[in-house]
Amino acid sequence: MKFFIDTANLAQIQEAEDFGILDGVTTNPSLMAKEGITGVKNVHEHYKAICKIVEGKPVSAEVISTDFKGMVKEGEKLAKLADNIVIKIPMIKDGIKALSYFYKKGIPTNCTLVFSAGQAILAAKAGATMVSPFIGRIDDTTWDGMKLIEDIAEIYAIQGFETEILAASIRNGKHIVDAAMAGTDIVTCPLSSIMGLLNHPLTDIGLAKFLADHKKASKGKK
Ligand code: G3P
């Protein structure tokens, strides 16, 4: 399973990259706005900076347009920013057309805002490189986000679809573990969720004991 970080924060992307387990980055217009990045020129420069930190690893850059022509124009400009840009396209009618267009051009895509297995089938049929079901937002409505990952994984396996499942809207470590069990190809999550996987009280207790025993045994010895 691949690990992507879901942020536009350069320091956090660098920290995850230095951690050594990062496979890619996803962003969205809300995450860009959170970093105060506005205006096409600044947004493009920011994407270039992200792509440089994680050289060669996929970076999802989302289009703002909602019509086919606009998505194509925007996506083509984004794709020229760096070799590792993936065009993120919403699950709407013109989005499906745009996914299909970019597939034919050999430009990688990530179909976002996916909330049903039917949408995931459409995205795969259109040739999306990745599909992003939003786990946390489904759970927020008291439906079962993880069941959707299971369903998509089963359908893609039965049908032989090559689109990768990118579990998004991940909120905690349990989501990551459950998504792995459900057969996702990728999880994208905040740095806090990735780091949360580190924690276990028995690890801390065990390490403290190892170090204390070592100190005791070494006392008085050169
Ligand atoms: O990038 C899309 C997704 O991961 C958003 O997550 O937490 O805003 O639902 P969230």
Side-chain angles (χ1 to χ4, degrees):
M1 183 178 76
K2 292 179 227 171
F3 263 121
F4 287 6
I5 188 167
D6 195 28
T7 185
N9 183 285
L10 298 181
Q12 286 186 17
I13 294 168
Q14 185 68 63
E15 192 179 339
E17 175 68 6
D18 292 345
F19 195 40
I21 49 84
L22 194 65
D23 299 298
V25 179
T26 51
T27 63
N28 62 41
S30 304
L31 293 171
M32 290 298 265
K34 195 173 161 193
E35 298 306 314
I37 316 294
T38 52
V40 180
K41 202 165 172 268
N42 292 336
V43 167
H44 284 188
E45 286 309 311
H46 202 75
Y47 279 134
K48 281 194 210 164
I50 294 174
C51 288
K52 208 167 165 210
I53 296 174
V54 295
E55 223 156 6
K57 299 173 184 177
V59 173
S60 287
E62 189 160 341
V63 297
I64 308 298
S65 307
T66 53
D67 64 296
F68 174 69
K69 273 190 182 164
M71 283 189 242
V72 164
K73 200 173 157 197
E74 223 183 300
E76 282 181 337
K77 277 187 192 154
L78 288 168
K80 283 189 186 127
L81 295 176
D83 289 345
N84 46 339
I85 286 276
V86 172
I87 312 301
K88 203 171 177 190
I89 293 173
M91 168 45 72
I92 53 177
K93 194 174 172 190
D94 279 27
I96 296 298
K97 277 175 76 178
L99 288 170
S100 178
Y101 172 90
F102 286 120
Y103 175 72
K104 284 175 200 141
K105 289 250 162 186
I107 295 174
T109 53
N110 172 0
C111 180
T112 189
L113 290 166
V114 166
F115 294 92
S116 75
Q119 291 179 325
I121 291 173
L122 266 183
K125 287 293 293 176
T129 314
M130 301 164 205
V131 66
S132 290
F134 277 33
I135 305 312
R137 292 193 196 183
I138 295 175
D139 285 356
D140 289 344
T141 66
T142 74
W143 290 357
D144 188 351
M146 218 46 74
K147 176 74 174 59
L148 178 58
I149 300 290
E150 283 169 23
D151 289 350
I152 299 172
E154 197 173 336
I155 291 166
Y156 280 12
I158 293 169
Q159 298 297 333
F161 287 134
E162 284 174 9
T163 301
E164 286 188 296
I165 305 169
L166 191 166
S169 187
I170 292 274
R171 305 275 170 80
N172 51 54
K174 182 160 166 41
H175 272 161
I176 297 175
V177 173
D178 289 348
M181 292 276 296
T184 198
D185 299 293
I186 310 161
V187 284
T188 189
C189 37
L191 185 59
S192 57
S193 303
I194 299 175
M195 292 308 189
L197 295 180
L198 271 173
N199 302 331
H200 199 290
L202 289 179
T203 304
D204 301 337
I205 293 166
L207 182 60
K209 173 118 178 61
F210 286 156
L211 296 180
D213 287 347
H214 173 75
K215 200 172 169 191
K216 222 188 293 169
S218 318
K219 237 182 200 168
K221 292 190 182 151
K222 278 186 193 169

